[in-house]
Amino acid sequence: MASVLRRSQTVLNSLCRRQFSASPDGNLTTHAGKSMNLYSAINQALHIALETDPRAYVFGEDVGFGGVFRCTTGLADRYGKDRVFNTPLCEQGIVGFGIGLAAMGNRAIAEIQFADYIYPAFDQIVNEAAKFRYRSGNQFNCGGLTIRAPYGAVGHGGHYHSQSPEAFFCHVPGIKVVIPRSPYQAKGLLLSCIRDENPVVFFEPKWLYRLAVEEVPEDDFMLPLSQADVIREGSDITLVGWGAQLSVMEQACIDAEKEGISCELIDLRTLLPWDKETVEASVRKTGRLLISHEAPVTGGFGAEISASIVERCFLRQGEQNINVLHVVRPFSSLHNPIHILLLCLCID
Amino acid sequence: MIRFARSSSRNLFHRVLNRKFQYCSDSSMAVQCGRRRKDQSSGFFWPTCRFESTEAARHVDQLYLHNHDDQELDFPGGSVPFTKEMRFMSESTEKRVPCYRVLHENGDAITPPNFNQLTKDVAIKMYKDMITLQIMDNIFYEAQRQGRISFYLTSSGEEAIAIASAAALLPDDVVLAQYREPGVLLWRGFTLQEFANQLFGNKGDYGKGRQMPIHYGSNHHNYFTISSPLGTQLPQAVGIAYSLKMDKKEACVVAYFGDGTTSEGDFHAALNFAAVLRAPVIFICRNNGWAISTSIEEQFRSDGVVVKGQGYGIRSIRIDGNDTLAVYSAVRKARSMAIRENMPVLIEALTYRVGHHSTSDDSSKYRTTDEIQYWKMERNPMDRFAKWISNNGWFSQEDELNHKTTVKRQLLEAIQNAEKTEKPPLSELFNDVYDNLPKNLQEQEEVLRQTRKRYPQDYPSDVPL
Ligand SMILES: Cc1ncc(C[n+]2csc(CCOP(=O)(O)OP(=O)(O)O)c2C)c(N)n1
Ligand SMILES: [Mg+2]
């Protein structure tokens, strides 16, 4: 155990120090810009969203003074308390209100303080936001709605500040689910989500809010939705993940490389609707697939990926050499080292 | 004080209290008005003057003002007076909140309506639309019984609320209804053909046959598409109202819901959001006594719904929902307050669901026929309004007969057309889930088309490819 812990500490340290890569070849210098962390990148995206669209609004619990994670810092001062404001402490109210605001042709950017507290709004998201366009025959839509929520383990959050609830939402046609892995990705993807004509749930890896730092262009740019990103190319195995887990997986790839295993790492970025083609092409090349996520394994989104890839690469084409491994990262304050243990499992 | 101690009877106690309340009611206003926190930086003020407060509201005010000492607690939101008396706020008021009405059962106006806005033409259209609504209910209900449509739900007994409230609004006002308010759409000009198309789920249905019957919606009429989950429209109404306010529109949002729906979390979320964000939205609760088989005694302990408004800081009124003129005048007033003062208003309209909950329900299993008959015969909203307009000499029996004959003929035609019109094509199963069809849905559509080719006998023949 001691050696595992020591090893996990090393991994953590290296993750902390490392700049998070954003481009396919891991080359940081491709985007000229300012070095910034993830929450600042989110903040910048929100500034741009409010600046470029007078019909954009930012609201949620405590967003007025900058938010508990500082993502909305300076917005109320700059754009006024009518466009950036605190709401009462009520998630179903926040999302319901956001749907109405979006239905009037506004960009409604709602913050749920923690993804763990998104469940009171589940009905408004699943039954309302997702079905608003469909049930009205496209007479009405709430496409301008974006719901931001910090998700995932940070090491001390326990049960209710650590969850990764993405799978619940990936089962819902009508919404999009997007999770960025780094500051550059966060800014570009968030702007795309805000401007997308469909309601989006945007989960932000709160572990990386301050930890992840990279060069981010200061201008207004967008990254495509429903397009996976091949972070590193390899030939022996395909690794698929999203959000904070990618930093763990990236380290695993580096370690595996030392042992002579060539890994291809894919960031799914958009989980719904997800880019099957990119994953399929990679698995056809490597013949092996490893999916890793923080959320519980049973009914997790990894199951959707493995089922789809098995169906496409194995059942349909009769290829037989596909191995699928599914790894998760549970969450608990006490058992934080286990997260890192799983990193070792990735390498094995 | 001495007087309190001597009164043993609870009634007397309260009568005395009430008298005392009257006596100091003006000074209480003075105390409450304009008091704000000294270091007022947040912009939040303690609610100032109350308008048209009911007796019950005054009662509550007085409870807290008759015996406080000179010192106050400086507290966020405004200072709070101290009192040496340990007194719990009562769980209810002694008297029920009264119900505003304009017309007697016999159709006479109790006080001459002091609104000159109700012209003869508007009054006649109101009555005609109520008749149309009633005919729609009778004929569509029958159509369901004959198996021609799958489901229906009537407005029977509640015609006045939808029609009179719609008449009090302007076309720019945005409506979010529950499901028992098709009268609002009718008033706004949704045609019998449009109603029939939705019920039959044909190509002419704006919802493309995706929802059950009665889930109407029309963007041309500023009427958001009905959603089955109860109460979800209420916080949405606040978001829409906020947008109207930001756009400085001369319009408000009107959200309808039943008594049962007030138990949903969304109702409470909506009232609180609307009050805090000062959204111009009128919440109209149709308290018809029942939520399917659950009576209001099993639904809430409070004096109905109207009293909940004040808890959220919302101006509220209880009205006779079967009195067309009371509904009309209250909604008109609420509208002008909502828009002028940027604030929500809550209206509780007392009425009765005379029909079964829906075609899937048999209400004789849980309520007496006497109760239904009483509301149908003695408190019938249409009879009462009919008496008033015929007393005015505006509408004769003959006019009524002519209107009925015309509507019946038009409706039967509409039904025949709707039945003949083809269903929306298969592609509509996948369209509009997103703005554009994503790859995963394209793939699923393709699989469905292949399967349909292989097993044509298992697929409905009336759905075009
Ligand atoms: C969230 C939710 N729960 C339950 C139902 C099933 N349901 C449909 S109507 C109804 C009763 C509603 O009663 P009320 O709000 O008083 O309206 P009314 O039917 O009396 O007009 C119920 C329980 C539903 N549609 N949505
Ligand atoms: Mg009811």
Side-chain angles (χ1 to χ4, degrees):
Chain A
M1 197 59 194
S3 74
V4 171
L5 276 176
R6 218 175 311 120
R7 181 166 183 188
S8 62
Q9 204 47 53
T10 327
V11 171
L12 257 183
N13 286 342
S14 72
L15 287 175
C16 296
R17 277 194 309 269
R18 196 167 50 84
Q19 303 243 302
F20 283 79
S21 67
S23 60
D25 54 354
N27 184 351
L28 288 173
T29 55
T30 46
H31 345 282
K34 231 170 101 178
S35 175
M36 68 174 76
N37 61 21
L38 201 144
Y39 88 73
S40 305
I42 298 277
N43 182 253
Q44 213 174 71
L46 294 174
H47 266 286
I48 292 171
L50 288 161
E51 184 75 49
T52 54
D53 189 348
R55 299 196 71 92
Y57 294 85
V58 171
F59 51 91
E61 292 156 19
D62 305 302
V63 305
F65 89 114
V68 295
F69 290 107
R70 312 311 300 148
C71 291
T72 54
T73 305
L75 298 177
D77 287 344
R78 180 89 175 265
Y79 304 100
K81 289 183 159 80
D82 286 340
R83 291 180 65 203
V84 179
F85 50 90
N86 286 347
T87 63
L89 206 168
C90 177
E91 290 73 16
Q92 67 195 97
I94 292 169
V95 175
F97 175 87
I99 292 171
L101 197 58
M104 297 299 278
N106 301 295
R107 298 284 148 198
I109 308 163
E111 177 175 311
I112 299 294
Q113 202 162 73
F114 291 87
D116 310 64
Y117 308 126
I118 202 168
Y119 307 116
F122 201 57
D123 185 47
Q124 284 287 351
I125 297 171
V126 174
N127 272 331
E128 295 297 313
K131 297 166 176 64
F132 213 82
R133 184 193 297 276
Y134 188 75
R135 71 170 182 229
S136 73
N138 206 17
Q139 292 189 93
F140 300 99
N141 75 79
C142 61
L145 175 69
T146 301
I147 302 163
R148 299 175 38 242
Y151 87 96
V154 290
H156 57 266
H159 267 87
Y160 298 118
H161 295 83
S162 303
Q163 293 177 55
S164 299
E166 67 272 14
F168 293 112
F169 299 93
C170 291
H171 192 58
V172 185
I175 56 171
K176 293 188 178 180
V177 179
V178 177
I179 309 182
R181 70 169 184 275
S182 73
Y184 172 78
Q185 296 287 324
K187 181 175 170 184
L189 289 171
L190 180 55
L191 279 167
S192 296
C193 292
I194 291 169
R195 292 162 179 171
D196 191 78
E197 292 307 324
N198 302 284
V200 184
V201 181
F202 187 80
F203 288 115
E204 298 168 2
K206 64 176 174 290
W207 183 41
L208 305 183
Y209 269 148
R210 284 164 195 277
L211 206 57
V213 178
E214 74 180 339
E215 302 272 308
V216 180
E218 294 208 84
D219 59 341
D220 183 349
F221 70 94
M222 289 158 65
L223 293 173
L225 301 185
S226 289
Q227 234 180 68
D229 189 16
V230 181
I231 301 178
R232 64 186 285 130
E233 290 185 10
S235 52
D236 296 332
I237 183 168
T238 302
L239 280 77
V240 174
W242 49 88
Q245 188 67 357
L246 284 165
S247 47
V248 177
M249 295 169 80
E250 229 177 330
Q251 190 57 44
C253 291
I254 292 164
D255 291 358
E257 204 95 305
K258 288 180 199 143
E259 297 178 24
I261 306 163
S262 161
C263 302
E264 182 143 304
L265 181 60
I266 298 178
D267 175 5
L268 217 48
R269 300 199 288 191
T270 299
L271 275 71
L272 184 70
W274 65 285
D275 179 1
K276 278 186 200 171
E277 286 67 27
T278 299
V279 178
E280 182 186 353
S282 173
V283 176
R284 283 192 186 289
K285 182 174 77 177
T286 62
R288 291 183 190 84
L289 173 62
L290 184 149
I291 307 148
S292 175
H293 52 66
E294 286 188 44
V297 67
T298 306
F301 196 66
E304 153 72 11
I305 299 173
S306 60
S308 298
I309 294 305
V310 165
E311 192 203 341
R312 285 193 169 203
C313 300
F314 182 74
L315 297 179
R316 285 197 209 157
Q317 267 77 28
E319 288 179 31
Q320 308 208 350
N321 264 339
I322 310 289
N323 295 308
V324 178
L325 177 64
H326 203 137
V327 182
V328 288
R329 200 146 71 99
F331 46 86
S332 144
S333 300
L334 264 179
H335 304 105
N336 196 41
I338 293 174
H339 300 180
I340 311 301
L341 241 177
L342 286 162
L343 173 65
C344 311
L345 183 61
C346 284
I347 299 167
D348 292 344
Chain B
M1 275 313 285
I2 302 157
R3 279 199 294 177
F4 294 163
R6 275 203 307 211
S7 337
S8 54
S9 134
R10 206 161 156 245
N11 267 341
L12 178 61
F13 175 77
H14 275 277
R15 245 180 286 137
V16 173
L17 266 182
N18 282 342
R19 226 181 303 136
K20 186 170 178 188
F21 292 165
Q22 240 114 58
Y23 157 70
C24 65
S25 97
D26 289 341
S27 62
S28 83
M29 281 289 193
V31 173
Q32 289 227 335
C33 285
R35 170 164 296 158
R36 52 187 69 171
R37 253 180 103 190
K38 273 173 227 138
D39 56 338
Q40 195 51 254
S41 53
S42 63
F44 290 118
F45 303 129
W46 189 247
T48 50
C49 305
R50 294 210 176 87
F51 289 78
E52 299 175 19
S53 60
T54 60
E55 203 161 321
R58 239 178 281 128
H59 184 113
V60 173
D61 286 347
Q62 300 315 311
L63 245 156
Y64 293 94
L65 283 158
H66 79 282
N67 200 17
H68 64 86
D69 59 38
D70 295 339
Q71 291 181 349
E72 289 179 334
L73 174 64
D74 194 13
F75 196 74
S79 32
V80 181
F82 283 112
T83 175
K84 58 176 184 264
E85 258 189 61
M86 182 171 71
R87 188 188 287 267
F88 292 87
M89 250 179 107
S90 171
E91 68 279 14
S92 63
T93 50
E94 179 70 10
K95 290 190 200 158
R96 296 199 66 179
V97 174
C99 178
Y100 166 69
R101 69 170 175 169
V102 176
L103 291 180
H104 272 300
E105 295 302 335
N106 65 10
D108 290 344
I110 293 161
T111 44
N114 65 350
F115 41 92
N116 46 19
Q117 301 96 338
L118 184 59
T119 61
K120 177 181 168 188
D121 289 350
V122 173
I124 292 174
K125 179 170 157 52
M126 278 158 82
Y127 188 57
K128 280 173 127 178
D129 277 4
M130 283 195 243
I131 295 175
T132 308
L133 189 56
Q134 200 172 48
I135 295 172
M136 278 169 55
D137 279 350
N138 290 339
I139 294 182
F140 284 138
Y141 192 88
E142 261 324 293
Q144 194 281 337
R145 288 289 168 230
Q146 294 166 4
R148 294 160 84 178
I149 56 176
S150 60
F151 178 83
Y152 193 71
L153 175 156
T154 72
S155 302
S156 187
E158 303 178 43
E159 293 89 349
I161 296 179
I163 300 289
S165 61
L169 302 173
L170 290 180
D172 279 348
D173 297 327
V174 180
V175 172
L176 283 94
Q178 181 159 307
Y179 48 60
R180 216 181 289 284
E181 304 88 358
V184 178
L185 255 186
L186 181 68
W187 175 269
R188 292 189 165 198
F190 205 67
T191 64
L192 297 179
Q193 192 62 60
E194 287 174 309
F195 279 112
N197 289 344
Q198 198 286 330
L199 295 171
F200 282 85
N202 65 25
K203 243 176 100 175
D205 169 21
Y206 303 129
K208 305 185 184 176
R210 289 167 183 156
Q211 295 211 74
M212 278 171 72
I214 66 116
H215 291 65
Y216 313 108
S218 171
N219 54 359
H220 298 299
H221 297 97
N222 268 326
Y223 190 99
F224 272 80
T225 304
I226 306 299
S227 166
S228 298
L230 292 168
T232 51
Q233 77 278 20
L234 303 176
Q236 295 168 11
V238 184
I240 295 170
Y242 191 84
S243 182
L244 292 176
K245 178 173 92 166
M246 290 301 289
D247 289 343
K248 301 195 166 48
K249 291 266 169 64
E250 263 287 306
C252 66
V253 178
V254 184
Y256 296 86
F257 50 98
D259 43 280
T261 299
T262 66
S263 296
E264 288 286 355
D266 274 337
F267 165 77
H268 301 272
L271 262 65
N272 195 34
F273 270 59
V276 172
L277 297 171
R278 301 192 66 85
V281 48
I282 308 175
F283 295 104
I284 301 184
C285 176
R286 294 176 294 97
N287 182 350
N288 62 11
W290 295 92
I292 309 184
S293 73
T294 304
S295 70
I296 47 173
E297 285 86 3
E298 296 165 305
Q299 197 68 247
F300 32 67
R301 187 77 177 181
S302 57
D303 174 14
V305 177
V306 65
V307 294
K308 300 183 192 209
Q310 199 179 42
Y312 291 105
I314 294 182
R315 211 174 280 175
S316 313
I317 189 170
R318 168 175 278 163
I319 64 173
D320 183 347
N322 287 10
D323 177 346
T324 307
L325 294 186
V327 176
Y328 180 80
S329 54
V331 174
R332 257 195 107 91
K333 179 72 183 168
R335 181 181 187 275
S336 91
M337 294 190 297
I339 297 173
R340 292 282 126 67
E341 300 177 56
N342 272 325
M343 57 151 59
V345 181
L346 171 66
I347 298 178
E348 178 188 29
L350 300 185
T351 184
Y352 189 80
R353 194 195 78 213
V354 165
H356 300 303
H357 169 71
S358 72
T359 48
S360 312
D361 175 48
D362 171 9
S363 63
S364 67
K365 292 220 170 78
Y366 52 82
R367 57 182 190 177
T368 64
T369 26
D370 282 356
E371 181 179 308
I372 302 170
Q373 281 308 309
Y374 165 73
W375 284 88
K376 197 172 177 174
M377 306 311 292
E378 282 162 58
R379 296 203 39 81
N380 188 312
M382 290 177 59
D383 289 354
R384 204 185 323 176
F385 191 54
K387 281 176 204 153
W388 185 71
I389 59 170
S390 71
N391 287 350
N392 288 352
W394 288 351
F395 206 65
S396 67
Q397 290 240 307
E398 200 191 332
D399 295 334
E400 183 161 338
L401 270 178
N402 288 341
H403 180 64
K404 281 182 172 164
T405 320
T406 321
V407 172
K408 272 184 198 152
R409 185 176 39 79
Q410 287 171 343
L411 192 54
L412 292 174
E413 259 173 43
I415 289 178
Q416 275 168 5
N417 281 337
E419 227 161 9
K420 277 190 297 203
T421 307
E422 69 176 2
K423 300 290 179 208
L426 191 66
S427 54
E428 294 298 1
L429 194 56
F430 300 93
N431 285 339
D432 304 334
V433 176
Y434 296 93
D435 61 335
N436 295 309
L437 200 64
K439 279 197 188 127
N440 61 331
L441 295 185
Q442 282 170 24
E443 205 176 288
Q444 290 170 32
E445 183 174 352
E446 194 41 46
V447 171
L448 176 63
R449 289 185 186 279
Q450 297 296 336
T451 321
R452 181 173 161 143
K453 255 184 217 146
R454 258 182 290 146
Y455 308 100
Q457 71 283 3
D458 293 336
Y459 283 80
S461 55
D462 59 344
V463 176
L465 281 170

